């Protein structure tokens, strides 16, 4: 069994990006600039955004954090997005989700210029990804594909089961896995809450990508010998032994599943660390105008 070390791959990629940025700067170009809008004080969002700002430093990017209180109006948020859309000094920006309930997330996402949408959430980027055109691919699916690439997991012709059909992970990763590309070219089955015969279908899979948010859902009896397991779950479960009071739990019963696998990602330290470096890569691509000129 090979443990897929997402932390190491993410550190390698950030080093590669930093080296490229220093070359750009030496050639007289300015540093890539990522802006982030954070609304409110949700603990998870605060941590995610702080980590994104830290990753910018590691990669040699400029970063700008714009904060609003929960009470900010949708109008004010949209006006800030408009400013960032029109600021030539900002290469890409994100609005951290979730947003307070009085603000339409969809309206906010669609207000972002798709050429600066380094989260890859705008319908133009989602649509272009689904038909195989250059675009910003969202962080978690592109992190998963990068892990499969760097560990040389055979995907061509493989039976791949995706558990979960979220817009952020399940749907896009299913789309990428079936794309005629490398990694990709797999036969993909998406299973969700209304699916029948889940265990039987999983047992046939060469690759399982679990993105349900249901701790320990994938058990050893659902996994065939030699399968590759990608665990996207990051549910916070209470743990009094931790300073934070919680630990992250994946969707896979790792202790019993790991010994059956060819490759498996741990939680934490698998897919998680990859997501931020996918955002960094998209920001670099935006700065270099490699996707949209
Ligand atoms: N909230 C949780 N994950 C993400 C993400 O990848 N991007 C944004 N903008 N918000 C999130």
């Amino acid at each position: 069994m090979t443990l897929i070390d997402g932390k190491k791959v993410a550190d390698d990629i950030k080093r590669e990006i930093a080296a490229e940025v220093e070359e750009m700067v030496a050639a007289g170009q300015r540093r890539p600039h990522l802006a982030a809008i954070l609304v409110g004080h949700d603990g998870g969002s605060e941590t995610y955004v702080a980590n994104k700002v830290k990753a910018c430093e590691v990669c040699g990017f400029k970063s700008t954090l714009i904060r609003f209180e929960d009470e900010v109006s949708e109008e004010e948020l949209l006006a800030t997005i408009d400013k960032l859309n029109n600021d030539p000094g900002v290469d890409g920006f994100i609005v951290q989700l979730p947003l307070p309930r009085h603000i339409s997330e969809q309206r906010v996402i669609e207000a972002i210029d798709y050429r600066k949408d380094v989260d890859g959430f705008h319908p133009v980027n989602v649509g272009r990804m689904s038909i195989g055109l250059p675009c910003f691919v969202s962080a978690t699916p592109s992190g998963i594909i990068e892990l499969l690439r760097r560990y040389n997991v055979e995907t061509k012709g493989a039976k791949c089961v995706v558990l979960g059909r979220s817009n952020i992970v399940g749907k896009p990763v299913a789309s990428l896995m079936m794309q005629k590309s490398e990694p990709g070219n797999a036969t993909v089955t998406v299973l969700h809450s209304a699916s029948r015969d889940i265990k039987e279908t999983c047992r046939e899979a060469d690759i399982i990508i679990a993105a349900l948010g249901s701790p320990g859902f994938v058990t050893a009896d659902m996994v065939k010998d030699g399968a590759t397991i990608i665990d996207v779950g990051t549910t916070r479960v209470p743990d009094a032994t931790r300073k934070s009071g919680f630990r992250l739990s994946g969707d896979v019963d790792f202790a019993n599943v790991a010994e059956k696998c060819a490759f498996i990602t741990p939680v934490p330290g698998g897919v998680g660390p990859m997501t931020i470096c996918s955002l960094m890569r998209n920001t670099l691509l935006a700065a270099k105008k490699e996707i949209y000129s």
Side-chain angles (χ1 to χ4, degrees), residues 37 45 48-49 52 93-98 119 121 138-140 168 275 279:
I37 300 177
S45 293
Y48 285 134
V49 171
K52 289 171 187 178
F93 66 98
I94 63 158
V95 180
Q96 188 65 26
L97 305 176
D119 255 334
F121 290 166
S138 58
T140 306
I168 287 186
T275 59
L279 176 67

Side-chain angles (χ1 to χ4, degrees), residues 202-232:
C202 285
R203 265 201 291 271
E204 300 265 298
D206 302 303
I207 301 169
I208 297 176
I209 300 173
L212 295 157
S214 176
F217 182 90
V218 178
T219 48
D221 59 331
M222 295 164 73
V223 175
K224 91 171 173 190
D225 285 329
T228 291
I229 308 289
I230 305 293
D231 188 351
V232 190

Side-chain angles (χ1 to χ4, degrees), residues 38-50 236 246:
L38 174 59
V39 179
H41 299 274
D42 172 76
S45 293
E46 292 268 5
T47 306
Y48 285 134
V49 171
R236 287 180 170 195
F246 67 86

